[in-house]
C-alpha cells in the first residue's frame, strides 16, 4: 500500500527498477512501465541486475516483457524470474511494456533496467519479425555497427532470412559498408555470407535455431540500407509433400504471437489437387470501419507463391467450408499485426486423387494414372469390396464393373434415381490405418457420373462431403474430371417389362391366328 511504481517513459533513454531497489522489493506489488519513443524508432531494453524469487514456471514473482502494449498475449516476449537476467530485447516498433509482479511471500532485491531509442541490434526471440538498418528508408548513418541475434527463446527450428530491400555502398570484398550473416549466436559460428552494393542477398536458411546479423558502415558514402524479414521454420514456415497432413498456427491452441508472417506450402504430385479443411479457427475480427480482414488474417493462394490467384482470405471466428485448389500446389499465409492475438487455427488437408469416372446404363468405368498412386498395389484400390480390385492396364489402374456387383445400390436423390458405390484407396502403413473413400455415382439415363471425397484426413471432424471433380475430360494422360449425375435400375426394369409385354402380345396374336 502506498508504493508508487511503473508509469509512462517517453524520454529518448532512461532507467527504471523494481520498488526499493537495491533493497528488497515489497510483497503483493504490481508495476507496469510503458516505454514510448518517437514513431518510427525502436526500443532497446537491457538489464544490469536481476534477482527475483525462483519458480520453474515463474508462478510467484515474475517480470514480463511485451513487444508493444502490456497484457496482449500476442506481444509477450518472455516471462522471467530467478537469478538469470533476461537477454537484451529490441522492439519491433516504438512501444515496449514491462510488467513486474510479486506475491505475498519471499522478497528479493529485484532488477535494474535501461532503455534507449533508435538503437539498432538486440536479441530477437519472436517466431517472425522485421529488421531494418538505422533510419531506413532514409540513408543510414556513418560509423554505425549493429548486431541482431535471432533465436533462443522457444524456437527449435532453423531460421530463414529474406531481404525485401537492399542498397549499400559497394566495393570489392565488401570492405566498407556491409551486412554479414553467421550460422549461430556469435561471430565464431560459420559465416553464411557478407553482402554490400545494390543486389539483394539470397534467401538464407540457418542450420541452427540461431542467426547473427551484423551491419557495419564506415566514415563516408552511405545508402538507403536494408529491410529483411525472418521467420522460424517448423512453426512459422513448413512445406508439405505427403498426400495428407495437418498443421496449426504457432502455439495453437494458445494465443498466437503478434507480428507474424507465416507460410505453409502444400506441394503434391502432378495431377493431384489440394483440399483444405478448417477444423478450428479464431483470429482477430473484421475491421469495424471497412468490414474487411484488415488486421490478423489467413489467406490461401493458388500455386506456391503469393503471386498466385487468391482463393480466400479469412479472419474472426468462423466456420469455413473446405477449399480446393485447381492445381497440385497451394500456399497458406498467416499475417498478424501488433496487437489483439487469438487462439489461431487448426487445418487438415488431403490430396484429391486424379481420376476419370464414367458410366453407361449398366456399368461403372474408373481410371487412375499409376504415377499418382505409384506406391500402391492394385489390390489396395477397389470399388465396394476388395473382390472388385483395380487391374493394371497400360499406365493406369482400371475398374470396370456392372451395377449389380461391387456393393452398388440404388438411391433416390433430388427426385432422380442414381446408382451409388464407394471407391476405396488404401494408403495404410503398418498399424496406421489410412483409407480414403470416394463416393461414385451414376445416372444411367444420362450416362453421367460423378465422384466425391467422403472420407479423407479425419472423417469425424468433416461435416459434409463436397463434389471434387469438375468437368473432367481426358486428353492423353492429362485429365480434368467430368461432373456427372446418376440414377437407379428402375429404368432398366421398366424397359425389360415393356419387352416382355411385347413378346407376350405377339404370342397371343399368333395363338389366335392358329386357332
Amino acid at each position: 500500500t502506498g508504493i508508487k511504481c511503473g508509469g509512462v517513459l517517453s524520454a529518448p533513454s532512461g532507467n527504471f527498477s523494481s520498488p526499493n531497489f537495491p533493497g528488497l522489493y515489497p510483497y503483493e506489488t504490481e508495476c507496469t512501465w510503458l516505454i514510448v519513443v518517437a514513431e518510427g524508432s525502436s526500443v532497446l531494453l537491457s538489464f544490469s541486475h536481476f534477482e527475483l524469487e525462483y519458480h520453474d514456471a515463474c508462478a510467484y514473482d515474475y517480470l514480463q516483457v511485451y513487444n508493444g502494449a502490456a497484457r496482449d498475449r500476442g506481444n509477450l516476449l518472455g516471462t522471467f524470474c530467478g537469478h538469470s537476467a533476461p537477454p537484451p530485447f529490441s522492439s519491433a516498433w516504438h512501444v515496449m511494456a514491462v510488467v513486474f509482479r510479486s506475491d505475498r511471500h519471499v522478497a528479493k532485491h529485484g532488477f535494474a533496467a535501461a532503455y534507449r531509442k533508435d538503437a539498432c541490434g538486440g536479441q530477437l526471440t519472436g517466431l517472425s519479425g522485421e529488421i531494418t538498418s538505422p533510419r531506413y528508408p532514409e540513408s543510414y548513418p556513418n560509423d554505425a555497427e549493429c548486431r541482431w541475434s535471432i533465436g533462443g527463446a522457444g524456437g527449435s527450428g532453423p531460421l530463414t532470412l529474406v531481404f525485401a530491400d537492399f542498397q549499400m555502398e559497394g566495393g570489392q570484398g565488401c570492405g566498407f559498408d556491409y551486412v554479414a550473416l553467421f550460422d549461430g549466436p556469435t561471430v565464431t559460428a560459420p559465416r553464411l555470407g557478407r553482402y554490400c552494393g545494390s543486389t539483394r542477398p539470397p534467401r538464407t536458411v540457418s542450420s541452427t535455431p540461431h542467426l547473427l546479423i551484423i551491419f557495419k558502415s564506415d566514415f563516408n558514402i552511405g545508402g538507403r540500407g536494408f529491410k529483411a524479414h525472418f521467420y522460424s521454420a517448423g512453426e512459422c514456415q513448413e512445406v508439405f509433400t505427403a498426400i495428407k497432413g495437418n498443421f496449426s498456427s504457432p502455439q495453437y491452441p494458445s494465443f498466437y504471437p503478434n507480428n507474424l508472417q507465416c507460410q505453409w506450402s502444400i506441394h503434391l504430385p502432378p495431377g493431384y489437387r489440394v483440399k483444405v479443411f478448417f477444423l478450428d479457427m479464431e483470429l482477430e475480427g473484421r475491421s469495424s470501419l471497412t468490414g474487411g480482414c484488415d488486421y490478423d488474417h489467413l489467406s490461401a493462394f493458388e500455386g506456391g507463391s503469393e503471386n498466385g490467384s487468391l482463393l480466400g482470405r479469412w479472419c474472426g471466428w468462423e466456420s469455413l467450408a473446405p477449399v480446393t485448389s485447381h492445381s497440385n500446389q497451394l500456399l497458406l499465409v498467416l499475417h498478424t499485426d501488433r496487437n489483439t492475438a487469438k487462439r489461431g487455427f487448426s487445418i487438415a488437408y488431403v490430396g484429391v486423387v486424379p481420376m476419370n469416372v464414367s458410366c453407361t446404363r449398366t456399368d461403372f468405368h474408373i481410371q487412375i494414372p499409376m504415377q499418382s498412386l505409384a506406391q500402391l498395389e492394385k489390390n489396395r484400390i477397389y470399388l465396394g469390396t476388395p473382390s472388385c480390385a483395380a487391374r493394371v492396364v497400360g499406365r493406369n489402374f482400371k475398374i470396370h464393373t456392372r451395377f449389380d456387383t461391387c456393393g452398388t445400390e440404388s438411391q433416390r436423390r433430388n427426385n432422380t434415381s442414381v446408382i451409388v458405390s464407394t471407391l476405396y484407396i488404401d494408403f495404410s502403413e503398418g498399424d496406421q490405418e489410412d483409407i480414403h473413400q470416394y463416393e461414385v455415382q451414376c445416372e444411367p439415363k444420362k450416362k453421367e457420373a460423378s465422384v466425391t471425397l467422403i472420407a479423407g484426413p479425419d472423417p469425424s471432424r468433416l461435416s459434409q462431403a463436397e463434389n471434387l471433380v469438375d468437368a473432367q475430360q481426358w486428353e492423353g494422360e492429362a485429365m480434368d474430371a467430368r461432373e456427372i449425375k446418376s440414377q437407379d435400375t428402375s429404368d432398366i426394369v421398366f424397359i425389360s417389362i415393356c419387352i416382355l409385354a411385347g413378346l407376350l402380345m405377339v404370342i397371343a396374336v399368333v395363338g389366335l391366328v392358329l386357332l
Side-chain angles (χ1 to χ4, degrees), residues 243-244 268 272-277 322-324 348-355 357 413 421-425 427 434-441 450-459 462-470 481:
I243 299 302
K244 73 171 188 176
L268 301 184
Y272 277 83
R273 289 186 293 160
V274 183
K275 185 161 188 176
V276 171
F277 300 88
V323 172
T324 305
Y349 77 88
V350 61
V352 181
V353 176
M355 67 180 73
V357 178
R413 298 183 180 179
S421 189
T422 303
L423 175 68
Y424 297 88
I425 302 178
F427 293 95
D434 183 10
I435 301 176
H436 295 198
Q437 300 175 34
Y438 293 79
E439 181 186 83
V440 293
Q441 71 176 50
S450 65
V451 58
T452 303
L453 176 69
I454 57 175
D458 185 359
L462 309 180
S463 58
Q464 62 181 16
E466 285 195 339
N467 204 322
L468 297 170
V469 186
D470 313 303

Side-chain angles (χ1 to χ4, degrees), residues 4 14 21 31 55 66 84-85 91 106 144 148 193 195 362 365 431 471 486:
K4 291 187 177 181
F21 181 84
C31 313
H55 180 263
Y66 290 85
S84 297
S91 68
V106 186
W148 294 270
Y195 306 100
T362 59
H365 297 268
D431 296 333
S486 342

Side-chain angles (χ1 to χ4, degrees), residues 200-248:
R200 276 192 300 171
R203 175 192 185 99
T204 300
V205 180
S206 70
S207 64
T208 73
H210 298 274
L211 184 66
L212 177 65
I213 303 167
I214 296 179
F215 163 75
K216 195 172 188 316
S217 64
D218 63 5
F219 62 91
N220 64 4
I221 306 178
R224 187 170 63 246
F226 69 87
K227 179 169 73 171
H229 300 275
F230 71 87
Y231 43 87
S232 173
E235 292 184 275
C236 197
Q237 186 212 22
E238 292 185 87
V239 177
F240 299 94
T241 57
I243 299 302
K244 73 171 188 176
N246 57 276
F247 55 91
S248 57

Side-chain angles (χ1 to χ4, degrees), residues 32-36 43 65-72 74-77 91-99 258-259 338-339:
T32 299
W33 292 269
L34 186 66
I35 305 170
V36 183
V43 179
V65 181
Y66 290 85
N67 186 23
R71 302 307 184 191
D72 187 335
N75 283 337
L76 182 63
L77 293 174
S91 68
W93 55 311
H94 70 291
V95 177
M96 179 177 276
V98 178
V99 176
N258 291 328
N259 297 302
R338 294 174 176 176
N339 49 39

Side-chain angles (χ1 to χ4, degrees), residues 107-240:
K108 298 289 183 179
H109 292 283
F111 69 89
Y115 76 91
R116 68 179 190 269
K117 91 172 183 70
D118 275 336
C120 64
Q123 180 75 33
L124 304 176
T125 58
L127 294 176
S128 72
E130 181 180 284
I131 300 170
T132 60
S133 52
R135 301 178 186 171
Y136 177 88
E138 297 178 6
S139 184
Y140 54 77
N142 294 328
D143 296 315
E145 181 170 346
C146 311
R147 297 187 177 208
W148 294 270
S149 180
I150 307 174
S156 58
L159 293 160
T160 298
L161 182 71
V162 179
F163 284 87
D165 189 20
F166 195 86
Q167 185 192 46
M168 298 177 62
E169 179 185 5
Q172 188 173 5
C174 294
F176 306 122
D177 301 352
Y178 63 84
V179 170
L181 310 178
F182 295 87
D183 194 10
T186 67
V187 293
T188 59
R191 194 171 76 181
L192 298 173
R194 181 169 172 147
Y195 306 100
C196 59
S198 57
T199 301
R200 276 192 300 171
R203 175 192 185 99
T204 300
V205 180
S206 70
S207 64
T208 73
H210 298 274
L211 184 66
L212 177 65
I213 303 167
I214 296 179
F215 163 75
K216 195 172 188 316
S217 64
D218 63 5
F219 62 91
N220 64 4
I221 306 178
R224 187 170 63 246
F226 69 87
K227 179 169 73 171
H229 300 275
F230 71 87
Y231 43 87
S232 173
E235 292 184 275
C236 197
Q237 186 212 22
E238 292 185 87
V239 177
F240 299 94

Side-chain angles (χ1 to χ4, degrees), residues 47-61:
F47 293 85
S48 58
H49 184 87
F50 192 85
E51 183 189 353
L52 274 63
E53 180 184 6
Y54 176 78
H55 180 263
D56 286 345
C58 294
Y60 304 146
D61 301 351

